[in-house]
Amino acid sequence: MSSPTLPNVGKSRFPGLRLLILATLLTLCVALWYLASHLLRGGADVDWHLATLPCELQRGQCSASLGEGRRLTLDVDAPGSIRALELLPLKVHVDGVEAQSVRVDFVGSDMDMGLHRFPLSKQDRGHFEGVGQVPICTESVMRWQAQVVVETPEGRLGSRFDFTVERSLP
């Protein structure tokens, strides 16, 4: 004898249920990526200070007062312009505070371009050097920000310096 067959076994009650589940999972993935991206940048515990204006990194060094006689200076050795995918010598000088380590993060101003972090090596008291690189740009000219973070015994200090990048031609 054959077993009785149930008419709706294995069929979805709501035809769009799979699509709804997929859309929910994609939304959760995007939200988790966004959260992880901001947690990795770790800027919440940084005491941020404004850059001294005018500041044009492609033309010379920029600086920021960190308060109480402390000063931070960033120099990107890029004569003329900063271009995507070119190696950039980075120099940071810190006055008035004992700097344990320094890093420079390149962050897209108008869109999230990921985390591009470059730790610098200590040269002598207050001088740090390293090499950075701005990734490929989606526009011919893009706005970026160099976020310099200084680790001190009292906490983290930092400043942000705006600059534009021209896409390198092949």
Side-chain angles (χ1 to χ4, degrees):
M1 297 207 130
S2 64
S3 62
T5 323
L6 297 175
N8 289 330
V9 172
K11 293 184 180 179
S12 176
R13 293 182 186 182
F14 178 58
L17 185 61
R18 288 187 179 157
L19 182 61
L20 186 61
I21 290 171
L22 180 63
T24 302
L25 289 174
L26 285 174
T27 303
L28 284 173
C29 288
V30 169
L32 288 173
W33 173 81
Y34 184 78
L35 177 64
S37 172
H38 286 280
L39 289 176
L40 283 175
R41 290 175 202 223
D45 63 339
V46 177
D47 184 12
W48 294 106
H49 297 268
L50 294 175
T52 305
L53 297 177
C55 171
E56 295 182 38
L57 278 176
Q58 55 270 33
R59 294 207 173 123
Q61 64 185 21
C62 290
S63 62
S65 171
L66 301 176
E68 302 173 10
R70 303 175 295 187
R71 185 157 210 74
L72 163 81
T73 304
L74 170 64
D75 188 12
V76 177
D77 191 9
S81 67
I82 298 174
R83 296 190 173 276
L85 301 179
E86 290 185 5
L87 295 179
L88 298 170
L90 304 172
K91 296 178 186 176
V92 172
H93 181 74
V94 182
D95 285 320
V97 66
E98 180 186 337
Q100 297 170 329
S101 65
V102 173
R103 75 169 196 250
V104 177
D105 298 342
F106 290 147
V107 178
S109 295
D110 298 327
M111 69 177 73
D112 187 356
M113 297 296 289
L115 179 64
H116 306 283
R117 179 167 288 167
F118 304 98
L120 305 184
S121 301
K122 189 171 188 171
Q123 302 303 307
D124 56 19
R125 185 169 175 83
H127 292 277
F128 295 82
E129 293 182 8
V131 176
Q133 183 181 43
V134 177
I136 189 75
C137 294
T138 57
E139 305 286 332
S140 58
V141 177
M142 283 187 67
R143 293 178 346 133
W144 286 81
Q145 198 174 72
Q147 296 181 351
V148 181
V149 178
V150 179
E151 191 79 38
T152 72
E154 295 83 34
R156 295 165 55 188
L157 303 171
S159 188
R160 299 174 172 121
F161 304 98
D162 295 320
F163 63 99
T164 57
V165 173
E166 298 176 20
R167 184 172 38 204
S168 298
L169 297 175

